[in-house]
Amino acid sequence: MSQSRIAAVDVGNDSVKAIFGELDQEFNIPNITARDIEDRPVIGIEELDQKDPLEGIHIRVHSPALQENNAIYRVGHLASKSTNSTELDPGSGKSQEDQTLIMLFASIALDAAKANKTGSNNVIDANYTLGTGLPLREVKEGKDAGYRSKLLGSVHQVEFLVTPKYQGIKVNIKFDEVKVYPEGFAAYINLVMDHDLKIINKDLIDKRILIQDIGGLSTDIAVIKNRTVDDDKAQGFNLGVSESLENIREEIFSNHGVEVDSRRDVVEIITRNNDRNHIMVKGSRTSVHDITDRILMELAKKQYRLLRNVWQKNSQTEICYFVGGGSNVLKEYIKTLNNNLDGFNIEFFEDDKESIWMMANAYYKLLSEFTKKTEKLKEEKKTVKKS
């Protein structure tokens, strides 16, 4: 595939949200990996092609960008069933972790395998224009430049091993361009523009606003005025929901003897519509409300303190939007605190999907604008040459 395809990939701490092409493909894959020493055994090999590839991502990844090259991984749902699965640790930097790259390459390889016919040698050469993001803290530390250069100028190969439909396919990924955006700014773009880059929120465009993006490992608070992010006042904090979700997992195990597979499953227990904050213990429906309420309220207080401190320094702020998967988990607790305390003008997205997909959508919009401008410049150069 010679023409460059758009890939907007948000490697969130809970899951990877990725949008491709002309909005013709999207994936949501749990951000969990597990190292494999050898090819995994397959039960019912003849049924492999009947299954969803997302349920059985099993790959070997070869890339000079990785610290551990040429290793085999189970990814996403398949990894969550492994005893040695890993999720990103609190305190780790997204730009420094192999896991971030493995998830990025896996999602792109899945798109390439679905969007292309393989040649006789089962190899796909795939070119992409990538839009992705890093927490504000890492961008302010200048980590975005190193992350971008790791991706550009090299070929990254993903080989599908025992993966439904794609077993034996190798995808060579090359990036024609990589744009790394600060996550808070991306959220703002998504609030004010639609996919055709038309302004959809005129009320918001000239307001002074904060965007508090609560992730798994970090929280960004973007300060926006005059339609741009104030880089000096915007702040990134090393505080996310992962540690609290891990604590809930551990307490459920120690109090009830029930092992919850992953943080993502904890989120499911906390946020689902039916039987929220309940688990099954030996076949009986059991409340874990006491555990979740105590731990999440403690975290909500810390998040509220961050909001209060940033708002004090930006006293003319008109509204704060809470975005990201962590906001989804803490929504009711932060609302309760705000009602009882300062009464700031804050807003959450009631549509969980909108909040969760916000970053990927923003990267897509920013990338679309970039590619349109690039094409326009190319056309103008051609016209100048002809004349």
Side-chain angles (χ1 to χ4, degrees):
M1 178 174 74
S2 57
Q3 198 179 355
S4 196
R5 182 165 160 87
I6 282 184
V9 186
D10 169 25
V11 185
N13 298 304
D14 171 58
S15 67
V16 174
K17 280 74 64 180
I19 304 169
F20 298 97
E22 299 291 318
L23 295 170
D24 51 74
Q25 182 69 264
E26 61 177 47
F27 297 128
N28 188 345
I29 306 165
N31 190 351
I32 306 169
T33 61
R35 279 291 299 272
D36 239 359
I37 308 302
E38 57 208 328
D39 285 6
R40 68 189 182 95
V42 181
I43 297 155
I45 191 109
E46 68 286 346
E47 293 168 17
L48 192 64
D49 283 350
Q50 308 304 312
K51 292 180 180 167
D52 182 350
L54 292 185
E55 296 297 321
I57 305 167
H58 187 238
I59 54 176
R60 185 196 303 275
V61 189
H62 179 83
S63 165
L66 295 168
Q67 292 163 50
E68 288 194 60
N69 202 352
N70 233 13
I72 297 171
Y73 294 93
R74 303 177 185 212
V75 173
H77 297 289
L78 187 65
S80 68
K81 297 169 189 152
S82 300
T83 50
N84 64 331
S85 65
T86 59
E87 298 177 77
L88 288 171
D89 290 326
S92 65
K94 200 183 272 194
S95 61
Q96 309 296 304
E97 294 284 333
D98 269 5
Q99 182 154 333
T100 307
L101 294 171
I102 290 153
M103 297 304 299
L104 179 76
F105 297 149
S107 61
I108 291 172
L110 282 163
D111 174 68
K114 196 164 183 182
N116 293 275
K117 289 185 169 65
T118 52
S120 54
N121 56 355
N122 260 5
V123 174
I124 296 167
D125 291 316
N127 287 52
Y128 282 87
T129 297
L130 172 68
T132 189
L134 286 176
L136 195 65
R137 183 173 47 87
E138 292 187 59
V139 174
K140 284 182 98 166
E141 289 166 4
K143 302 269 175 65
D144 52 329
Y147 187 61
R148 182 173 178 270
S149 66
K150 262 194 230 179
L151 295 169
L152 277 171
S154 299
V155 175
H156 316 278
Q157 187 185 78
V158 174
E159 180 186 356
F160 288 104
L161 301 175
V162 192
T163 303
K165 292 188 176 66
Y166 305 141
Q167 186 168 8
I169 292 173
K170 289 180 181 175
V171 181
N172 293 325
I173 300 163
K174 197 165 189 305
F175 296 111
D176 296 322
E177 183 54 270
V178 174
K179 306 296 269 182
V180 182
Y181 303 105
E183 289 173 346
F185 172 65
Y188 171 66
I189 290 294
N190 203 57
L191 284 170
V192 297
M193 286 180 175
D194 66 10
H195 274 297
D196 298 319
L197 307 175
K198 291 188 176 68
I199 302 296
I200 47 170
N201 206 329
K202 285 196 171 69
D203 294 346
L204 201 60
I205 196 137
D206 289 318
K207 275 187 175 176
R208 291 189 167 206
I209 63 176
L210 302 179
I211 295 174
Q212 187 152 337
D213 175 20
I214 306 174
L217 305 180
S218 62
T219 295
D220 284 349
I221 304 184
V223 179
I224 293 161
K225 55 185 180 187
N226 304 326
R227 305 187 184 195
T228 55
V229 175
D230 186 328
D231 287 332
D232 296 327
K233 293 195 169 180
Q235 285 184 269
F237 303 93
N238 221 352
L239 178 72
V241 293
S242 291
E243 205 167 344
S244 297
L245 296 176
E246 207 56 60
N247 292 344
I248 290 169
R249 251 175 97 181
E250 285 166 13
E251 280 208 33
I252 287 174
F253 183 68
S254 62
N255 291 10
H256 300 285
V258 171
E259 196 153 348
V260 181
D261 285 344
S262 67
R263 294 174 203 155
R264 191 184 173 89
D265 291 326
V266 176
V267 172
E268 161 72 10
I269 290 164
I270 296 162
T271 58
R272 64 187 169 210
N273 293 328
N274 299 324
D275 283 345
R276 186 174 292 186
N277 292 305
H278 283 77
I279 58 168
M280 297 305 287
V281 180
K282 297 174 184 169
S284 299
R285 188 173 162 277
T286 305
S287 171
V288 289
H289 233 299
D290 54 334
I291 297 171
T292 56
D293 276 357
R294 178 172 38 78
I295 292 172
L296 294 177
M297 183 51 93
E298 206 175 291
L299 178 60
K301 283 175 182 171
K302 289 177 184 171
Q303 288 288 348
Y304 195 75
R305 215 169 292 138
L306 297 182
L307 171 70
R308 184 185 271 160
N309 291 342
V310 174
W311 203 305
Q312 273 174 351
K313 289 171 188 160
N314 300 278
S315 62
Q316 296 311 293
T317 295
E318 294 170 70
I319 188 167
C320 175
Y321 285 90
F322 280 86
V323 302
S327 294
N328 204 21
V329 169
L330 294 173
K331 184 161 57 180
E332 298 311 321
Y333 301 96
I334 291 171
K335 280 181 181 176
T336 301
L337 285 171
N338 192 47
N339 289 339
N340 295 336
L341 297 168
D342 303 68
F344 290 120
N345 185 16
I346 64 174
E347 183 96 32
F348 287 83
F349 290 88
E350 297 311 320
D351 179 349
D352 295 345
K353 188 172 191 264
E354 187 183 357
S355 185
I356 288 163
W357 280 87
M358 185 165 277
M359 294 302 164
N361 278 321
Y363 302 150
Y364 190 90
K365 290 170 189 180
L366 288 160
L367 214 50
S368 299
E369 185 179 37
F370 167 74
T371 50
K372 278 175 190 168
K373 278 182 182 169
T374 309
E375 287 304 312
K376 197 178 170 190
L377 279 172
K378 277 183 191 168
E379 288 304 313
E380 283 169 4
K381 278 180 185 171
K382 276 184 196 171
T383 311
V384 169
K385 272 185 184 173
K386 280 178 187 172
S387 59

